[in-house]
Amino acid sequence: MAKLGISVATIAALWSLMTVPMILGQARFIADGSPYCIAHHSRNSPVETLHELRGFSFYTEKAGYKSTSEWFFHGLMIVDHLEGQKIYNWSPRRWRFDLVARPNLLFEPVSNVCVPN
């Protein structure tokens, strides 16, 4: 029983740690040299340290995208592409950033979470 518990804890810890290089790698790939920033979904909340990108840190406990007129994303990435600013949501289930379609229509703004640099 102890070995099973240790194995489960080890796998969970490795998953949490492996999200850091996965997030950073995808961010660099999507940005393709353009300025970008990564943040939590709340006003002026850029990710400032690597440990904030761990799987057990870079997510929301809120269920669904809408609850009482507030929108909740796990984590956001804003990229200043040449064709305009694009916003992406981190999906811990799929381990990837997904483009947020029509971010200007959301009740809770997402463009004010961080400033790409």
Side-chain angles (χ1 to χ4, degrees), residues 9-97:
T10 301
I11 290 170
L14 287 174
W15 169 83
S16 183
L17 292 173
M18 290 306 296
T19 57
V20 176
M22 193 66 165
I23 289 171
L24 292 175
Q26 284 201 13
R28 289 183 182 127
F29 178 77
I30 290 171
D32 193 28
S34 299
Y36 72 93
C37 64
I38 299 173
H40 301 282
H41 187 197
S42 61
R43 188 178 307 245
N44 298 320
S45 60
V47 169
E48 296 175 347
T49 60
L50 290 179
H51 74 83
E52 292 180 79
L53 295 177
R54 289 176 296 134
F56 290 129
S57 297
F58 200 58
Y59 75 98
T60 183
E61 294 175 352
K62 309 289 187 195
Y65 281 175
K66 185 174 184 295
S67 172
T68 64
S69 296
E70 293 183 23
W71 292 80
F72 301 102
F73 292 102
H74 293 289
L76 294 165
M77 180 177 70
I78 300 176
V79 182
D80 281 341
H81 288 293
L82 293 175
E83 61 273 4
Q85 192 175 72
K86 293 191 179 179
I87 299 174
Y88 299 84
N89 173 45
W90 174 251
S91 172
R93 180 179 299 160
R94 290 185 245 147
W95 261 31
R96 70 177 190 203
F97 281 104

